[in-house]
């Protein structure tokens, strides 16, 4: 069958020297997917820049990709509104609205590059 991986995302150990006390109470998120790594990459999308997890509007959970979601749940991925929080950086845990994410080429917090091809799938993740 599939190896389901749940990745608990929090700030990396070096965050205190890089971010100082600016983010003391950041929430932690789970990134669900098949074979996810430390940054939430999955078996479907696993290049260095594939670090965005997306939230399904129906189940309100972050998944590495819609393919993982549709394989692991009993419903199809439902996009979130572009104005809602629905994109999560797998590198540092920054949660963004679809509008904010779609205007970036890298994470505004940790500067990790995003996959420029992900914008081609925005209709799957955002409405």
């Amino acid at each position: 069958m599939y190896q389901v991986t749940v990745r608990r995302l929090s700030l990396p150990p070096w965050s205190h020297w890089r971010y100082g006390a600016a983010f003391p109470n950041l929430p932690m998120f789970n990134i669900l997917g098949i074979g996810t790594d430390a940054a939430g990459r999955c078996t479907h999308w696993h290049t260095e820049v594939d670090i965005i997890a997306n939230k399904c509007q129906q189940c309100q959970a972050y998944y590495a990709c819609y393919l993982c979601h549709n394989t692991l749940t009993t419903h199809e991925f439902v996009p979130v509104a572009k104005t809602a929080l629905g994109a999560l950086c797998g590198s540092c845990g920054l949660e963004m609205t679809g509008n904010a994410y779609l205007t970036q080429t890298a994470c505004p917090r940790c500067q990790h590059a995003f996959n420029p091809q992900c914008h081609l799938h925005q209709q799957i993740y955002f409405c």
Side-chain angles (χ1 to χ4, degrees), residues 8-24:
R8 186 106 172 128
L9 184 64
S10 61
L11 284 177
W14 43 263
S15 63
H16 289 286
W17 67 262
R18 184 162 180 180
Y19 301 116
F23 308 104

Side-chain angles (χ1 to χ4, degrees), residues 34-107:
I34 301 170
T36 55
D37 69 5
R41 297 175 194 93
C42 66
T43 58
H44 304 105
W45 306 101
H46 44 81
T47 69
E48 176 63 23
V49 292
D50 291 317
I51 60 164
I52 287 294
N54 292 280
K55 185 188 289 184
C56 172
Q57 178 64 36
Q58 182 170 332
C59 60
Q60 292 292 300
Y62 277 103
Y63 280 83
C65 75
Y66 78 96
L67 297 167
C68 287
H69 174 277
N70 292 350
T71 300
L72 299 172
T73 65
T74 58
H75 62 275
E76 295 291 309
F77 189 93
V78 178
V80 298
K82 288 181 182 177
T83 56
L85 294 173
L88 180 71
C89 176
S91 180
C92 72
L94 178 65
E95 192 174 29
M96 299 166 271
T97 65
N99 284 334
Y101 164 66
L102 292 170
T103 63
Q104 304 295 321
T105 58
C107 178

